[in-house]
Amino acid sequence: MNLTSNVPLKSVIVGTAGHIDHGKSTLIEALTGTHPDRLEEEKRRGITIDLGFAFLEETGVRFGFVDVPGHERFVKNMLAGASGIDLVLLVIAADEAIRTQTREHFDICRLLGVQQGVIALTKSDLVDADTLGLVRLDVEEFVKGSFLAGAPILPVSARTGAGIAEMKAALIAAASQSGEKDTARYFRLPIDRSFSVKGFGTVVTGTVVSGQADIGEDVELLPMHQVLRVRGLHSGRKAVERVQAGQRSAMNLSGIEHTAIQRGMVVAAPGRFGAARRADVRLELLPTAPPLKHRAQVHFHAGTAETIAEVYLHDGAPLLPGASALAHFKLQEELVLGHGDRFIIRQFSPVVTIGGGAILDPLARRPARKDTGRIAYLKTLEKGTHDDILMALAERNILGVPLREIIARTGWLESEVRGATESLAQLKQLRAVSREPLVVLSEKTFLEICEKLLARVERFHKENPLLPGIAREDLRTSLGRRVRPESFRTALDVLVQQKKLQLQTELVKSPGREITLTPEELRAKQQIEQTFAKADLAVPSVKEVFAQMAVEKARAENLLQILLREKTLVRVSPELIFHAAALDRLPGLLQQYKKAKGERIGVAAFKELSGISRKYAIPLLEYLDRQRLTRRAGDERVIL
Ligand SMILES: Nc1nc2c(ncn2[C@@H]2O[C@H](COP(=O)(O)OP(=O)(O)OP(=O)(O)O)[C@@H](O)[C@H]2O)c(=O)[nH]1
Ligand SMILES: [Mg+2]
């Protein structure tokens, strides 16, 4: 029985680094039994060209080795492998000591924020003890002041096997120091290979940088935002049910051709990450690099992706060697980046590593000269608490920020976003204008919307004294497109609750706002009413009534509306209006008729009974039908 099978293994990714031919791949083979070179061309030329992989399980640690090429032309492949590593195995041949790519790979590890490592002095069989001693001194000097200061420096020989056991022990010791992985964050796996396996279909591989994924789950392929099903998983060449942060993983995906997927793409938890062409960053220039000019073009590498970027320096002045600054990158292709991701930049030509840094905002906007709050905002993204960052996001997005965007820009969990929203809402700094999906607005912006609403309603009343209120939809569109419907709805609710506005079905009005008529309007209103009262059932047309009025037509129309709303007048058909008192006489008249002549009445008889002209008799009868005072029966009506 295998007693260790139930003990959870710690997953640690070790990446090699070092100059060409210094024995990286050979050392991996000596440690794991697997030679990482897999391409025909690699075997023929005896050099590593692309990333190679090997695995080793030792004393509770599951090592995933990523072997990188040392050749200067393949540094970009090295970068794709180096982005997910926990430990670096820096390989320096004892007979050659420190060379160009030793330095470049080491710079890259530093810029990527690798925290730990072990140094191998390979080919120890080729040098004597004195040379070995000198190389060791060189190396100690080289790593002084860096994360590798004090790291073990171990002579090894793949040829004789000397030092290999010590190397394993050192890796295990270093692995025990490496931090726990964040499996709680949302799943993300930058793809380094995509191929097809007979009988299975498309398989992608990479190192899981955060979260976990299970067989049967959906993942999103980015930047194309395509949702795919996970059919199978492998880790360390074994079939598994789940892969998680810190593991080398192979993922069998259904619904896509392997040729549609390339290195640099990402599989991730659906809806949690974005893809963009602009990023705000903290950029550090290597002391050995030449000054970097504003708007210079560079090669940009992050995760397993690479593209070309244009560098925007905020004050326009060049960045000096060894200095760091807040900067903005305009990328040639859409990349999937996360807050805090490390990146590397290389000079456009000749191609050498010149700097790197961390992503602050992976969904950045084009920098604007007039945007004076930008630097403070970026500093908040860099150093602020969750509350600070959420406030900064809300303040800079007066339209409001939806949950999805907050998560894609910060890498927080949904629960963290909701938590920060809650605490800021209690402090009256933030307002959730919608809960599902969550959309937040700074309280300041929200209050501005409320003020604007009140002012709009006030103005409406002033401009339309004869109307009871503004239609809700008109009020919303009057705010323009810079206010979301959710913000409008919430602001209106709040104002109604605070009794600052009143809502009557679809009309919004100021409370206590009654229509006040001028004496002239009052007279006109009475005149309209009396005209209809006098006409009784022989009503005039609206046009005729208006023709006699002293006030202009628009005002007369409003006064008519008021009379209709008060139900003093009743609209029987679009053209036909009666005084309510006249209509009230009809049921009595009909009942008398019924008693005297029976329940059926024709149009001519009705005309005679009511004294109404023929033109108006039909619409009026139809009105009586609707009122259920009569019922149509052929050409006649039955009085009910
Ligand atoms: N004598 C001796 N030769 C070694 C040792 N390790 C590697 N070599 C030889 O050095 C050469 C290069 O080794 P690799 O492992 O391919 O070197 P690498 O660093 O992986 O090279 P790239 O991947 O191309 O950068 C090979 O011919 C190895 O046989 C060693 O410990 N002793
Ligand atoms: Mg190699």
Side-chain angles (χ1 to χ4, degrees):
M1 206 172 87
N2 185 352
L3 287 175
T4 59
S5 66
N6 289 328
V7 180
L9 292 174
K10 182 171 190 177
S11 293
V12 174
I13 306 289
V14 181
T16 57
H19 198 69
I20 184 165
D21 248 4
H22 276 203
K24 296 180 289 298
S25 302
T26 309
L27 178 56
I28 296 304
E29 186 181 18
L31 288 166
T32 66
T34 308
H35 197 289
D37 286 349
R38 53 198 165 80
L39 305 175
E40 196 43 54
E41 191 187 349
E42 291 177 322
K43 289 181 184 143
R44 201 176 63 240
R45 291 170 64 181
I47 62 165
T48 303
I49 293 169
D50 205 351
L51 303 174
F53 307 96
F55 299 92
L56 175 69
E57 276 183 24
E58 281 277 328
T59 12
V61 186
R62 180 190 287 155
F63 287 103
F65 288 94
V66 179
D67 182 43
V68 307
H71 196 298
E72 63 173 324
R73 272 193 42 217
F74 306 132
V75 175
K76 62 183 196 157
N77 292 340
M78 179 271 174
L79 280 160
S83 71
I85 69 175
D86 304 304
L87 298 181
V88 61
L89 175 53
L90 182 61
V91 170
I92 300 166
D95 61 337
E96 285 198 358
I98 294 156
R99 302 289 296 273
T100 320
Q101 266 63 51
T102 319
R103 293 179 200 283
E104 186 167 18
H105 286 193
F106 176 60
D107 281 339
I108 287 168
C109 290
R110 273 197 308 122
L111 291 166
L112 289 178
V114 177
Q115 297 288 325
Q116 281 191 307
V118 177
I119 301 164
L121 301 183
T122 51
K123 308 192 189 185
S124 64
D125 55 285
L126 295 183
V127 296
D128 58 23
D130 285 353
T131 314
L132 204 58
L134 285 175
V135 174
R136 178 190 289 275
L137 285 177
D138 260 8
V139 172
E140 277 172 2
E141 183 61 28
F142 176 60
V143 298
K144 211 161 95 184
S146 81
F147 73 99
L148 280 183
I153 302 176
L154 302 173
V156 293
S157 168
R159 182 149 301 169
T160 66
I164 299 296
E166 289 83 350
M167 177 53 73
K168 270 189 200 173
L171 287 171
I172 290 162
S176 71
Q177 307 273 304
S178 93
E180 281 304 310
K181 289 298 158 31
D182 210 343
T183 50
R185 302 267 139 212
Y186 294 121
F187 174 72
R188 181 159 56 130
L189 177 142
I191 295 168
D192 49 38
R193 280 186 302 160
S194 167
F195 48 88
S196 169
V197 176
K198 245 203 171 111
F200 290 95
T202 301
V203 173
V204 296
T205 67
T207 303
V208 182
V209 296
S210 61
Q212 53 191 39
D214 290 359
I215 290 180
E217 259 179 29
D218 281 345
V219 288
E220 186 178 8
L221 178 67
L222 294 155
M224 50 276 248
H225 297 284
Q226 192 175 347
V227 175
L228 301 166
R229 178 66 46 86
V230 178
R231 275 179 54 184
L233 292 169
H234 273 71
S235 183
R237 304 207 205 286
K238 281 190 223 139
V240 292
E241 291 289 312
R242 163 179 292 177
V243 292
Q244 58 187 42
Q247 294 178 342
R248 284 294 309 166
S249 306
M251 194 173 250
N252 181 201
L253 297 172
S254 60
I256 193 160
E257 289 290 318
H258 77 95
T259 46
I261 307 180
Q262 280 135 33
R263 175 177 288 177
M265 293 177 182
V266 170
V267 274
R272 302 306 192 181
F273 293 89
R277 278 210 173 79
R278 290 182 178 277
D280 285 319
V281 305
R282 163 65 68 181
L283 173 64
E284 184 190 326
L285 201 59
L286 286 173
T288 49
L292 181 68
K293 287 203 192 89
H294 176 56
R295 306 205 64 171
Q297 290 217 315
V298 295
H299 296 276
F300 176 91
H301 299 257
T304 57
E306 63 157 312
T307 188
I308 291 170
E310 187 176 345
V311 184
Y312 287 71
L313 296 163
H314 289 295
D315 51 9
L319 183 59
L320 298 177
S324 113
L326 295 166
H328 175 89
F329 286 145
K330 187 176 160 199
L331 308 171
Q332 212 167 68
E333 286 158 279
E334 270 195 322
L335 294 192
V336 184
L337 301 170
H339 174 86
D341 283 4
R342 297 295 187 131
F343 66 87
I344 295 291
I345 58 166
R346 305 186 77 214
Q347 190 167 265
F348 195 73
S349 173
V351 187
V352 287
T353 301
I354 51 171
I359 304 291
L360 300 177
D361 186 351
L363 302 179
R365 284 200 219 122
R366 166 202 287 274
R369 210 179 291 274
K370 59 177 199 262
D371 182 0
T372 50
R374 185 174 184 84
I375 295 291
Y377 165 67
L378 294 179
K379 285 188 172 153
T380 304
L381 290 185
E382 191 173 28
K383 298 255 162 70
T385 63
H386 277 196
D387 284 10
D388 295 340
I389 291 173
L390 187 56
M391 265 327 289
L393 280 175
E395 274 162 5
R396 288 176 66 83
N397 289 276
I398 53 167
L399 224 111
V401 206
L403 176 74
R404 206 186 155 105
E405 190 184 320
I406 300 171
I407 290 175
R409 291 174 87 167
T410 60
W412 303 345
L413 296 174
E414 181 168 343
S415 56
E416 292 174 305
V417 179
R418 290 192 187 273
T421 302
E422 217 43 63
S423 76
L424 288 166
Q426 252 158 39
L427 294 169
K428 298 229 177 301
Q429 291 181 31
L430 199 73
R431 177 75 66 154
V433 290
S434 159
R435 303 228 159 246
E436 281 313 326
L438 181 71
V439 177
V440 301
L441 211 61
S442 80
E443 186 70 12
K444 183 166 161 276
T445 308
F446 182 75
L447 292 178
E448 278 165 16
I449 294 173
C450 289
E451 286 307 312
K452 224 179 261 175
L453 273 183
L454 288 174
R456 288 285 146 86
V457 173
E458 222 18 74
R459 198 169 85 197
F460 182 86
H461 282 311
K462 210 169 260 162
E463 287 171 0
N464 303 278
L466 299 181
L467 293 181
I470 179 170
R472 193 190 160 104
E473 201 42 32
D474 292 345
L475 181 59
R476 187 179 74 73
T477 48
S478 79
L479 292 176
R481 282 194 313 186
R482 289 167 78 80
V483 177
R484 276 174 199 270
E486 296 95 324
S487 308
F488 167 72
R489 220 175 299 139
T490 308
L492 188 57
D493 284 353
V494 166
L495 292 170
V496 168
Q497 235 167 47
Q498 294 174 342
K499 301 204 183 339
K500 290 182 178 164
L501 288 179
Q502 272 179 4
L503 199 55
Q504 277 172 356
T505 56
E506 285 303 292
L507 282 189
V508 184
K509 56 180 249 177
S510 295
R513 181 85 192 192
E514 294 311 330
I515 297 163
T516 47
L517 301 183
T518 62
E520 186 198 9
E521 285 162 348
L522 217 50
R523 267 197 305 280
K525 183 182 164 209
Q526 276 163 2
Q527 191 190 345
I528 297 172
E529 191 206 331
Q530 275 158 20
T531 309
F532 281 102
K534 257 188 236 140
D536 192 42
L537 290 169
V539 288
S541 74
V542 173
K543 219 166 153 192
E544 283 161 8
V545 178
F546 284 180
Q548 310 164 10
M549 306 289 300
V551 298
E552 70 274 24
K553 186 169 169 280
R555 265 207 288 176
E557 182 66 53
N558 285 335
L559 294 168
L560 183 71
Q561 294 301 331
I562 295 171
L563 286 161
L564 287 167
R565 257 198 320 273
E566 291 172 357
K567 301 205 169 28
T568 310
L569 300 182
V570 177
R571 195 186 284 278
V572 162
S573 79
E575 265 82 65
L576 208 50
I577 288 171
F578 288 86
H579 199 281
L583 288 178
D584 284 348
R585 292 200 306 110
L586 283 171
L589 286 173
L590 286 168
Q591 290 309 319
Q592 274 171 20
Y593 180 93
K594 189 175 174 181
K595 256 186 219 150
K597 306 208 168 144
E599 60 171 17
R600 289 188 169 249
I601 184 167
V603 177
F606 177 71
K607 222 178 74 171
E608 211 163 291
L609 176 76
S610 58
I612 199 168
S613 73
R614 175 155 188 103
K615 186 164 79 170
Y616 294 157
I618 304 284
L620 188 54
L621 276 168
E622 282 167 0
Y623 168 79
L624 293 174
D625 291 343
R626 286 199 300 278
Q627 300 292 310
R628 305 203 184 287
L629 291 167
T630 56
R631 175 164 56 79
R632 185 162 184 180
D635 282 347
E636 295 182 328
R637 252 68 184 185
V638 176
I639 300 168
L640 298 172

